[in-house]
Amino acid sequence: MHCGTTTVFVLQEDVQVHCGGRAQRRKTPPPSSSQRWARRPLTSAPGGPSLRRRVAAALLLGGGLLAAWRWLEAEQLRRSSLGRGAFSLLDHGGRRRTKADFLGRWVLPYFGFTRCPGVCPEELDKLSGAVAALDRDAALPPVQPVFVTVDPERDDVAAVARYVADFHPRLVGLTGTPEEGKHAGRDYRVYASAGPRAEDGDYVVDHTVLIYLLGPDGLFVDYYNRTRDQDQIAHSVRNHIQNYDPLDPEPGLQNPVEPV
C-alpha cells in the first residue's frame, strides 16, 4: 500500500511502516474469534482427520446404515411369511387364477382400482416401463406384471380387461368377489378402505401404494414406493434376479411354467 512516500509491508501479524527512511514496527490487533475460526484448519486435533473427512465418513456410514435398515426390513417381511397364502381370483379373460399359476417366475403385482384418478395409472405406467426395460435384457427371464383390484364391487372382469389394455401387453388383471379380494390383499398386507359415497354413488378407495416384487417361490422379495422411478425399479429387479437365493425352495419350482 502506498501513501506518498510511505510503503506498508504486511508480514504475518507485524506491520512495518517505512516513512521518510525510518522504519516503525507496529503490532496489529489480535484477530477476532471469527477470524481465528476462519484461519483455523478444519481438523479435530493436530494430526487428526479433517472435519470434512469426518463429515463425509459420517454421511457414508449413515447411508450404509439406511441401506442396511431397508434390507433388514425387507428381509423381515419376507421371513414373516408375506405372500405364503394362496389366493383365487378371476383374470381379465374370465379364467380362474391361483397363486400356483405364477410360481416359477418373477412377479410384480400392484393393488389398485380402475377408477383411481391419478396414482394408479402413474404407478402402472412406471411398472410397465420397468418390465419393458427388463424385457430388453435377453439374459433375464420374463417378469410378470399383475394388477389386482381393491374395488371388486365395481371392477368386474370386463372393467379390468378394458383397464389393463392401456398398459404393458403382458399385464394380467385380477378381480373376484369382495371376500376373495380381501383375502388376496391380506396375504400381502395391503390396506384398502372405500371412502364416503357421493350423491351419485361414486367413491374412491384409499389403499396401499406399493409395487411388490415376488420371487419364483411366490414370496415377497422387495417393494417399490412412489419415490422409485422405472429405471430404479428395473435396476433393483435385475439385481434380485441375478443374485437370487431362495428362502424356502419348494419341489417343482426349478423349471418355470409357461408364461401367463
Side-chain angles (χ1 to χ4, degrees), residues 11-12 21 35 38 64 71 73-74 103 124 143 148-150 188 194 232 240 247 255:
L11 302 174
Q12 297 181 353
Q35 291 172 327
W71 180 87
E73 181 185 41
L103 292 177
L124 287 172
V143 176
V148 185
T149 182
V150 295
Y188 298 97
Q232 292 172 321
H240 281 300
L247 177 65
N255 300 316

Side-chain angles (χ1 to χ4, degrees), residues 58-158:
L59 290 175
L60 288 174
L61 178 61
L65 289 175
L66 180 62
W69 173 85
R70 191 176 185 279
W71 180 87
L72 286 173
E73 181 185 41
E75 191 67 10
Q76 287 175 351
L77 286 171
R78 190 175 179 217
R79 292 184 179 274
S80 65
S81 300
L82 187 65
R84 285 188 183 272
F87 62 82
S88 179
L89 297 167
L90 294 175
D91 68 15
H92 62 272
R95 176 183 171 187
R96 178 64 59 176
R97 296 282 192 175
T98 67
K99 179 181 176 180
D101 292 316
F102 299 94
L103 292 177
R105 74 196 65 192
W106 292 86
V107 181
L108 283 170
Y110 175 79
F111 291 78
F113 62 111
T114 66
R115 301 192 187 197
C116 183
V119 174
C120 295
E122 292 173 0
E123 293 301 293
L124 287 172
D125 276 336
K126 185 167 63 176
L127 185 153
S128 298
V131 173
L134 293 167
D135 284 343
R136 291 192 288 271
D137 190 339
L140 299 178
V143 176
Q144 180 61 56
V146 175
F147 167 76
V148 185
T149 182
V150 295
D151 186 21
E153 183 178 336
R154 295 181 297 184
D155 290 345
D156 58 14
V157 170

Side-chain angles (χ1 to χ4, degrees), residues 160-174:
V160 171
R162 290 191 298 269
Y163 189 67
V164 299
D166 291 333
F167 303 103
H168 193 280
R170 203 161 60 244
L171 178 64
V172 172
L174 297 176

Side-chain angles (χ1 to χ4, degrees), residues 216-228:
D217 54 8
L219 300 181
F220 171 87
V221 175
D222 208 341
Y223 68 93
Y224 310 104
N225 59 27
R226 295 189 67 189
T227 66
R228 309 292 289 277

